[in-house]
Amino acid sequence: MATRRNFIKKTAAGSAAMTLGGLLLPNMASANILGANDRLHVAVIGVRSRAKAHIIAIHQDPKAKIVYNCDVDDQIIEEHNIWCEKNIGYVPKVEKDFRKILDDKNIDAVFIATPEHWHAPMAIMALQAGKHVYVEKPCSHNPHENELLVAAQKKYGKKVQMGNQQRSAQSSMLAVQEIKEGIIGEVFKGEAYYSNNRGSIGIGNKIDVPKTLDWDLWQGPAPREDYRDNIHPYNWHWFRTWGTGEVHNNGTHEIDICRWALGVDLPDSVTSFGGKYAYKDDWEFVDNQQVTYKYGGDKFITWTGHSRGLIKPEQPGRGATIYGSKGMITLSRNSYELYSLDGKLIKKVEEGVESATTNTLGMGGLDVNHVFNFFDAIRKDKIQNSPIADASISTMLCHLGNIAQDVGRTIHIDPVTGKIKDDAEAMSHWKREYAKGWEPKI
């Protein structure tokens, strides 16, 4: 993990105006600090890993204060308090039950970095309590929650930003602008990919719940299960009760970039191939997957997810490639590269601030840009880079990829609603079962 000092040094390196392909773009972080007139009191919920990137970003704004850290595991909180003292110079108040934070009328916004089954229910409860919400991707555990969260934002009128932070990358913004202007001609394909060499999660053993963990509150809206030794704190990603698989865990980012670059929303059809190949363990999703999203007008997006198994050394970890009639563009969190049809590199635009790409923190300069854009939306009603009405569409694509995989056939989509047409079995995956008293409602 980068220390706060090193992180600020890297961020400062990109704080001047950047010339990208002839377009002068101000650094978002420095511009936002200059315009920050109102103090914001925030809470961070779920603090083991990804939240640390949020906290570092929030701390760059001198008029934003982290009032609460919240987690259901006392050991995680204890370790996090030490981290906070070292990296931001103070320890926020600690609360184990997020509902008490929502009751605090002095809190303006909450940052949600919990397991995925909590994302939408907690965000909806926060909106109902009058809070703005920054919610990690994916913004929902199932398509039904997607619909609810978007409706809740409209009803309660607060800002909701999803943590697909590459939407705040200046190099990606430039690339999308130039694509719209025709730099690679007529675009037709977006290719999203992610590779990792994740190991086995083993076969879990039922054990007593650790004394430090509130297992009931950890489960929250999910149907109750016995505690096992291979779930908490990270491997919940690979269990359907709490997680949504790799297509959501990482694919959300690159699928979102492809959709943005191609200028498309919901597809006409979705096809998925894949399987669980690497280990015989409790992992409940495919660990290698290929999804194709087909759009009218002959556009399509592919997602190639390689979670486990040997990776060829030269294969990149993650990214997106956009193909057009006159060339292609590759996009990552740290750069944009333009190629001609014969594969010649025409130009490369560096982001100017570095972001991690394959670890569980994903910390970097884009977090600062994305959080500050969220703060500007709250303070000055500026346009969000990832408002939930748009971000939820990318999350929906991931849900549809999982559903197509589960039913084993192409599913056909209503591109207005996202609902699956003429397929009752596929639509049975639209909504989950909830623990009694925990089903989100608006």
Side-chain angles (χ1 to χ4, degrees):
M1 182 187 306
T3 64
R4 174 172 173 256
R5 180 178 298 174
N6 288 338
F7 179 83
I8 293 172
K9 184 177 179 181
K10 288 181 179 179
T11 304
S15 62
M18 299 166 60
T19 302
L20 301 180
L23 177 67
L24 189 67
L25 295 172
N27 176 268
M28 299 171 73
S30 61
N32 286 345
I33 286 177
L34 293 173
N37 299 313
D38 302 315
R39 183 164 294 279
L40 292 173
H41 297 99
V42 308
V44 181
I45 306 173
V47 298
R48 176 180 172 268
S49 181
R50 178 64 185 144
K52 289 176 171 55
H54 295 172
I55 288 170
I56 289 292
I58 295 164
H59 189 62
Q60 307 312 303
D61 185 331
K63 292 195 175 183
K65 179 75 172 180
I66 303 164
V67 179
Y68 290 101
N69 282 329
C70 180
D71 203 284
V72 295
D73 191 322
D74 292 333
Q75 182 177 342
I76 288 174
I77 280 289
E78 184 177 342
E79 294 169 354
H80 184 67
N81 286 346
I82 296 170
W83 181 92
C84 283
E85 183 65 48
K86 179 180 179 181
N87 287 275
I88 65 173
Y90 69 96
V91 178
K93 290 189 287 187
V94 171
E95 181 52 66
K96 205 165 186 176
D97 190 334
F98 77 96
R99 292 169 293 188
K100 295 179 181 179
I101 292 173
L102 300 187
D103 288 338
D104 188 337
K105 299 195 181 299
N106 293 317
I107 297 301
D108 301 299
V110 297
F111 284 70
I112 300 171
T114 62
E116 292 163 1
H117 70 287
W118 259 121
H119 286 186
M122 192 177 288
I124 290 168
M125 293 173 72
L127 287 167
Q128 291 167 333
K131 316 303 182 189
H132 302 281
V133 177
Y134 186 110
V135 60
E136 265 306 324
K137 54 79 214 161
C139 63
S140 62
H141 183 267
N142 54 76
H144 171 69
E145 289 181 355
N146 241 31
E147 295 179 306
L148 282 184
L149 182 53
V150 173
Q153 189 280 322
K154 290 179 180 178
K155 179 176 180 178
Y156 300 108
K158 296 297 181 178
K159 307 297 183 184
V160 182
Q161 180 114 310
M162 192 171 83
N164 47 335
Q165 65 269 23
Q166 196 173 332
R167 284 289 185 118
S168 291
Q170 296 178 74
S171 56
S172 294
M173 290 177 176
L174 172 65
V176 171
Q177 175 185 318
E178 292 187 339
I179 287 169
K180 290 179 179 178
E181 293 170 352
I183 195 168
I184 56 173
E186 295 292 325
V187 290
F188 58 88
K189 177 184 178 182
E191 186 177 72
Y193 51 89
Y194 174 83
S195 296
N196 208 332
N197 258 340
R198 300 187 190 278
S200 172
I201 64 171
I203 305 297
N205 297 302
K206 293 180 183 179
I207 61 172
D208 291 337
V209 178
K211 293 181 179 180
T212 62
L213 176 65
D214 186 334
W215 178 234
D216 188 66
L217 191 54
W218 188 98
Q219 293 181 92
R224 293 301 179 261
E225 294 191 15
D226 292 328
Y227 186 78
R228 303 189 293 282
D229 60 6
N230 64 344
I231 296 170
H232 174 70
Y234 185 78
N235 286 334
W236 54 263
H237 281 287
W238 323 121
F239 293 87
R240 290 178 181 269
T241 303
W242 312 292
T244 53
E246 198 75 90
V247 69
H248 281 279
N249 183 43
N250 278 295
T252 311
H253 287 293
E254 276 69 42
I255 291 171
D256 176 66
I257 295 303
C258 289
R259 187 177 71 79
W260 183 26
L262 265 63
V264 296
D265 290 326
L266 292 165
D268 294 321
S269 67
V270 182
T271 306
S272 178
F273 298 95
K276 178 184 170 184
Y277 302 105
Y279 305 101
K280 293 181 179 180
D281 60 3
D282 284 342
W283 186 293
E284 294 178 350
F285 292 92
V286 294
D287 55 21
N288 282 263
Q289 186 177 20
Q290 181 80 35
V291 186
T292 300
Y293 302 92
K294 184 69 175 67
Y295 292 85
D298 294 327
K299 291 182 179 181
F300 66 104
I301 293 171
T302 63
W303 153 250
T304 302
H306 181 114
S307 294
R308 309 196 292 182
L310 184 66
I311 300 174
K312 292 171 61 179
E314 68 272 19
Q315 184 170 346
R318 69 185 314 151
T321 303
I322 312 301
Y323 295 87
S325 59
K326 297 180 181 178
M328 59 176 261
I329 283 174
T330 63
L331 289 167
S332 73
R333 296 178 186 179
N334 295 314
S335 67
Y336 143 38
E337 297 179 3
L338 172 66
Y339 293 88
S340 62
L341 283 178
D342 61 3
K344 180 181 178 182
L345 177 64
I346 297 174
K347 71 173 178 177
K348 181 174 181 177
V349 180
E350 300 283 357
E351 179 61 23
V353 290
E354 186 177 352
S355 294
T357 59
T358 56
N359 65 24
T360 58
L361 269 70
M363 185 182 290
L366 299 191
D367 295 311
V368 178
N369 290 355
H370 209 50
V371 168
F372 277 43
N373 171 250
F374 174 57
F375 286 166
D376 267 355
I378 295 171
R379 288 169 169 142
K380 304 179 236 181
D381 200 30
K382 284 197 173 182
I383 294 173
Q384 291 174 249
N385 292 339
S386 188
I388 200 62
D390 182 76
S392 66
I393 298 172
S394 295
T395 297
M396 185 66 82
L397 263 64
C398 299
H399 286 309
L400 295 173
N402 273 340
I403 293 172
Q405 177 66 39
D406 289 341
V407 299
R409 58 179 170 271
T410 296
I411 55 176
H412 299 276
I413 313 301
D414 181 332
V416 176
T417 66
K419 297 284 179 70
I420 303 158
K421 298 191 289 189
D422 304 320
D423 194 329
E425 181 189 1
M427 275 301 295
S428 71
H429 294 264
W430 197 258
K431 182 181 178 181
R432 73 167 308 157
E433 291 184 7
Y434 292 91
K436 186 177 180 180
W438 279 110
E439 182 173 343
K441 296 181 184 296
I442 61 169

